[in-house]
Each structure stands twice: as C-alpha cells, then as structure tokens.
Amino acid sequence: MNIAFVGLLAATCGAWRVPGPRRPAPPDVDHLVPALRWENAVDHARHRVTRTRRHAGFRVHLRGPWPSSGGELLAVVLGPTRCATDPLTPANFPNAELTASVLLAEPVNGAPASAPITAFTPSRDPELGLWTCDIDIDAAHCSRILLALARYRPRSAAGLTLSGITTTGFLPLLPDRTTTATMTSTGAIRLELSGPVSSNALGARVGTGRAAMAASRRVLAAVERRAAGGGDLDWAGTGTVLELTCVPTPRSYLWSADLIPPAPQLLPPSEYRLLIEEYEVYATDPATATGTVTAGGTAVPVGQRLVHADRLGLTVSPAGRLVLRE
C-alpha cells in the first residue's frame, strides 16, 4: 500500500484504535488497607456527641507497571469474589465505574466461562511508588470477604479483555462502632460504645453470656492533653483512665461508664481530648502475656490487641471545667 495514501487516510479519519492482541498480565497486589467512613452527630439540647465508624471498603495498593498493555482498569470478578460462601453482585460495589460480563481467562470445569465484573481506575501514589485503587463495599451482612482481582482492558481482541485472577484471601470487614458521649448534670461524661460483637475462644472458656463477652473485650477511656498548637505525637495521658463496663442489651452488648474529667491545666494553654479504645483479649503463653483472666478457677495468661479507637474533643468551659466539645 502507498505510504502517502496511508498517511492521508490517517489524517482524514483520525488515529486508529487497534484492539489489544494479547491478554493483560494479572495484577500484582502489594497490600490492602481497610477504608473507613465516619459519621458525626451533635445534639446540643442534650449535650450529646455521637460518632459512628463504618467499614467503607478497601484501598488496594498495586505494584507497577500499570497499565501492562494500555487502557486498563482494575476489575473485581464477581464469580470468585464472595462473602463467606455467598456471591456478591455489582450493587455491593457502589463506586464502580462500569460493570460488564466478560470471558474468564481460565476455563471452568474444562469449558469457557463468563462472569460479571465491576471495574475501577487506579491512580499513582508517588510517595509509596505504587498504584492505588479504592473499592467501596456495601455488604452489611458480611464479616469477611474474598476479592478476586484482574486487569480489564475493554479495547482488546474478543476473549482477551480480562487477565488471570489474583485472589486476596479472606479479608475481615470491620463491624460498625458507635461512640455516644453525653454531659450529665453532675459534670461527668456518660460514655457508651456499641456495635455488632461476639465473644471469642477465651470468653467460651470463662462462661456464657455477659461473662464470656466481658472476658473477650476491654474498653478503656482516657483523657489526654497537649500544649496548644502541638502535633499528633504530643498527646500525653493526664492520669485519668476508666474501664467501661459490659452491659447486655435486648439485641447485643454495649460498654458504658461515667467519666469524671480532671481539672484542666490552664497554664500553659492546653488542648484536651477523650480517647476511647477497644481491645480484644485472647489467651497466650506466659512469656508474652500482659495479664490473666480466671477461667474455671485457673488463671489464664492473656494478651490484648487494639481493634477500635475513637477520639472526642474536650474544651474548657467558662466555669473552668472540661466538657465535651459540641
């Protein structure tokens, strides 16, 4: 074909889009981190502050290069992706840019098979040197989820749009947590922490019901202080620490206590906050134990791990007392 004619045709018709002649490479997942959504509400009439943490999904960090063959999205393949043994649908991924049904790279039971996908655009994180992608997940019934991830290149030859699948293994979905803090007429702060919760193996050794739950979890509240204008690492304890009590409710359990704030330090000018931390308590060996729990008359060595933390602002009232910042 005459080269001048080809050049004229390209100039007249615009750039040619050639379908990708090969399948994209599977995504190389570096790590994932949970994405959280925080909701805040203030009831000034009751002097009450409520904060709720909800699990919004995951941020996927990918190693490059991206794309491997041009014009690629990160796809969640919904056939292998599941919540425990239940499959998920596109409706469970509200921030997906597109959905499609595509031919899988690998046959199923020896035959070609298709599956629905939801797709997302990764972006470069220059600080980490990785590509990142936020995948929102709306699946309140799930406690854990397995993600099947693939590269999706819409402009590929038929049957070559989807890469092989990379699975994450089962990932825990953090349960909702709601912290409610209310100023009382006596100047105390009434604290409640609530949300879906279950006892663990240590709790089963201790007993049933409230006894099992109280052995499985600890919730602590502490007042912290830093100099006005200080940084995040400048917060330090004031010595006021209170452990909340496990209380049964009609549907579950919550942790509750009345905390009496300390007298504020007026000079130098200071800032105050209330830190609430939830720990899971578990049986461990004596060498790493941080305490003991009595089960069946025997002291069981235990450790604990932080599973939730929240912070509420405090301020100094005109009367010189620490109160909730509303």
Side-chain angles (χ1 to χ4, degrees):
M1 182 180 290
N2 185 283
I3 295 177
F5 173 75
V6 173
L8 177 62
L9 183 63
T12 303
C13 300
W16 294 340
R17 294 187 179 273
V18 179
R22 63 183 177 87
R23 191 180 299 281
D28 188 3
V29 178
D30 187 85
H31 65 282
L32 296 88
V33 295
L36 304 176
R37 182 174 71 251
W38 291 90
E39 301 170 358
N40 302 281
V42 178
D43 185 338
H44 295 289
R46 298 183 179 183
H47 303 290
R48 175 177 296 167
V49 176
T50 303
R51 282 172 52 84
T52 299
R53 180 202 74 186
R54 302 193 189 280
H55 194 124
F58 291 95
R59 172 164 291 181
V60 183
H61 294 267
L62 303 157
R63 302 184 190 95
W66 193 284
S68 68
S69 59
E72 294 169 0
L73 303 173
L74 181 67
V76 176
V77 185
L78 297 182
T81 292
R82 59 187 187 275
C83 165
T85 58
D86 298 328
L88 297 174
T89 71
N92 296 119
F93 299 87
N95 71 323
E97 296 181 27
L98 62 86
T99 61
S101 180
V102 299
L103 185 69
L104 297 177
E106 300 293 336
V108 177
N109 296 326
S114 297
I117 65 165
T118 58
F120 311 80
T121 300
S123 60
R124 176 74 172 171
D125 186 326
E127 184 176 347
L128 293 177
L130 300 170
W131 292 82
T132 66
C133 189
D134 289 338
I135 299 176
D136 291 350
I137 300 172
D138 184 6
H141 63 289
C142 286
S143 61
R144 58 196 181 109
I145 187 172
L146 182 146
L147 291 176
L149 304 174
R151 295 182 194 247
Y152 174 58
R153 189 176 190 269
R155 295 186 180 275
S156 287
L160 299 177
T161 57
L162 197 69
S163 75
I165 291 173
T166 299
T167 56
T168 62
F170 277 103
L171 304 166
L173 294 175
L174 299 179
D176 293 350
R177 286 291 179 267
T178 296
T179 301
T180 303
T182 308
M183 292 300 308
T184 69
S185 59
T186 62
I189 302 175
R190 180 156 297 151
L191 296 171
E192 290 185 353
L193 179 69
S194 59
V197 67
S198 60
S199 57
N200 59 13
L202 175 64
R205 293 176 62 177
V206 171
T208 60
R210 180 186 175 280
M213 190 63 66
S216 303
R217 304 273 167 166
R218 291 187 72 200
V219 179
L220 301 176
V223 177
E224 296 186 324
R225 185 192 72 84
R226 72 177 178 187
D232 288 340
L233 299 180
D234 295 327
W235 290 105
T238 62
T240 298
V241 180
L242 179 67
E243 182 164 358
L244 279 63
T245 301
C246 179
V247 180
T249 67
R251 298 183 61 184
S252 182
Y253 295 87
L254 61 79
W255 279 257
S256 176
D258 285 358
L259 181 142
I260 300 176
Q265 177 179 316
L266 300 181
L267 292 175
S270 301
E271 298 172 338
Y272 292 87
R273 72 178 184 182
L274 187 58
L275 174 66
I276 297 96
E277 295 179 317
E278 176 189 353
Y279 294 88
E280 181 184 10
V281 185
Y282 57 89
T284 186
D285 58 86
T288 60
T290 58
T292 61
V293 167
T294 301
T298 302
V300 179
V302 298
Q304 59 185 28
R305 66 182 184 98
L306 183 66
V307 295
H308 173 67
D310 197 1
R311 297 161 181 84
L312 300 172
L314 300 175
T315 189
V316 180
S317 72
R321 297 178 180 176
L322 280 181
V323 296
L324 282 172
R325 182 182 295 127
E326 299 181 22

